[in-house]
Amino acid sequence: MKKLLIFVPVSLLVTISLPAFAAEKTCDLSGEYKSFALAVQNPSYSQEGIQKELSARASLLSVAIGCAREDVIDLKNQILTDDNTSDSANQIKERVVESLDEAIRFYDMKKDSIKDQGIQGTKDLAREIKVWRDSNYDQLSGRVKNFMLWSSNQSLFEKASDRLSQSQLVVTSLKVLENEDSEKVYYDAKLKLETAQKLNGEAGAAIARGASSEETFGMIKNSLEALSNTYKNFFEISGKLNKTDGVDELVPMTDSDSKDE
């Protein structure tokens, strides 16, 4: 007698976590900082001294902006080279890339404005950029990580939908739906999958609109937990069908052929 099995993606059996990113590149500002420190060590109010300090400040700020810009470029490259994106997720991916491009334009604009600044202007500009980065970079990074996690999960939802269709086909062919308990298990799985799909869609929408990374990650986690609960019903259906006469006449619901006992 062939065992009737329902394949469970291994990904659902592991701890849900954000994808790990490559370590950020080290930004070397030592040369520019040394020049800056020397320029302000003994401040001079002569035209030459002021120009020297301004040049040092502008150089340090320009390199710092360049490093911050490269961090965003790295995020963009990671999402663009991700091979897990499904057709249905491309629109959300584009929204995330747009937000990264906006950050890149911000840095380009600020770097271009350095040439028009005096000493106080470079101080104000440096402060503005720091405030902006503190408020935005972690959010951008979290948004990219959440998208990559969410995108990689879409195949799990597609497989679950296939398993439900297979469950309906097999249960119906065995006329198990005449059994009230088995009918309840099947429809409970159907409702749980619909809930999981709804939560998954909401998580995708949160990524698209730029919701906080903490809120979005929680939504992704909830959708996967709901999907895991769906598979518990699939296991239960499998167990009931394996006890039903005639199962050996059916093709097992697996991704590969089952072996005869």
Side-chain angles (χ1 to χ4, degrees):
M1 175 177 174
K2 290 183 178 180
K3 287 284 187 181
L4 182 65
L5 303 174
I6 301 179
F7 173 74
V8 180
V10 175
S11 302
L12 287 178
L13 304 180
V14 299
T15 303
I16 302 169
S17 60
L18 287 171
F21 277 8
E24 290 186 8
K25 298 176 183 177
T26 301
C27 187
D28 186 6
L29 300 175
S30 57
E32 289 74 15
Y33 185 78
K34 182 178 180 180
S35 297
F36 165 74
L38 289 173
V40 299
Q41 186 175 15
N42 297 304
S44 170
Y45 297 102
S46 66
Q47 185 64 32
E48 181 181 356
I50 293 174
Q51 188 58 44
K52 183 178 180 180
E53 179 181 345
L54 177 58
S55 177
R57 286 183 179 277
S59 179
L60 178 59
L61 182 56
S62 178
V63 175
I65 292 175
C67 288
R69 184 182 187 277
E70 281 301 312
D71 286 342
V72 180
I73 292 291
D74 286 344
L75 292 178
K76 183 178 177 180
N77 288 338
Q78 289 175 47
I79 196 172
L80 289 178
T81 56
D82 178 33
D83 296 329
N84 292 318
T85 307
S86 62
D87 291 340
S88 60
N90 275 331
Q91 187 174 0
I92 296 174
K93 181 176 185 176
E94 290 173 2
R95 294 285 296 277
V96 178
V97 171
E98 285 174 4
S99 69
L100 296 171
D101 285 337
E102 183 178 345
I104 294 170
R105 287 193 295 271
F106 170 82
Y107 285 128
D108 287 342
M109 180 180 66
K110 295 305 177 183
K111 187 173 183 177
D112 186 61
S113 71
I114 293 175
K115 64 181 183 297
D116 300 321
Q117 307 299 325
I119 290 179
Q120 186 59 47
T122 58
K123 291 179 181 179
D124 294 340
L125 185 58
R127 188 177 300 109
E128 178 188 355
I129 292 171
K130 182 180 185 304
V131 170
W132 187 93
R133 179 179 167 83
D134 289 345
S135 301
N136 290 276
Y137 180 76
D138 285 345
Q139 174 65 12
L140 286 171
S141 177
R143 191 177 181 189
V144 170
K145 292 178 182 178
N146 279 328
F147 171 79
M148 294 175 67
L149 173 62
W150 178 84
S151 177
S152 67
N153 292 335
Q154 298 316 295
S155 62
L156 301 180
F157 286 89
E158 293 172 2
K159 288 178 180 178
S161 182
D162 290 341
R163 296 299 175 270
L164 186 68
S165 297
Q166 293 171 2
S167 296
Q168 181 182 28
L169 176 62
V170 176
V171 170
T172 301
S173 66
L174 285 174
K175 299 182 179 180
V176 177
L177 286 181
E178 295 176 359
N179 180 287
E180 184 177 347
D181 183 52
S182 296
E183 182 180 9
K184 180 180 181 300
V185 174
Y186 168 76
Y187 282 108
D188 188 36
K190 185 174 183 293
L191 289 174
K192 286 180 179 177
L193 179 57
E194 290 173 353
T195 297
Q197 290 170 331
K198 179 176 181 294
L199 292 172
N200 179 59
E202 291 174 351
I207 295 171
R209 72 171 182 271
S212 73
S213 56
E214 294 82 5
E215 176 188 357
T216 303
F217 179 66
M219 296 170 73
I220 294 173
K221 183 178 179 180
N222 290 339
S223 71
L224 291 179
E225 289 175 346
L227 187 60
S228 179
N229 289 334
T230 302
Y231 272 95
K232 291 178 183 178
N233 284 77
F234 289 166
F235 276 129
E236 189 172 351
I237 293 172
S238 177
K240 291 180 180 297
L241 295 181
N242 283 331
K243 296 177 183 178
T244 303
D245 293 336
V247 173
D248 56 332
E249 300 174 2
L250 299 173
V251 177
M253 290 190 291
T254 61
D255 285 353
S256 59
D257 293 334
S258 299
K259 295 181 181 179
D260 292 338
E261 287 190 333

